[in-house]
Amino acid sequence: MPVVIRDVDVFGYPEHEVLDVLTASPHPSVTLPRAASPTGYLAEVRVAAV
């Protein structure tokens, strides 16, 4: 099941491509990791209650 933020599948594309397209704050309740993953793909996306 894709996880999509602003039309980007955050786990379906390499990490650097996702981070290039999405800003540091893609949504007020979403945080993307800034540390490089050993796999080259995002391993997590954090969502907080607003």
Side-chain angles (χ1 to χ4, degrees):
M1 175 71 59
V3 176
V4 179
I5 300 173
R6 292 177 34 204
D7 295 327
V8 177
D9 180 355
V10 296
F11 297 119
Y13 292 96
E15 178 178 24
H16 71 277
E17 291 181 22
V18 172
L19 296 177
D20 284 348
V21 173
L22 297 177
T23 62
S25 180
H27 187 274
S29 63
V30 175
T31 304
L32 298 175
R34 288 288 151 204
S37 166
T39 65
Y41 288 81
L42 287 176
E44 68 176 311
V45 172
R46 295 183 182 182
V47 180
V50 184

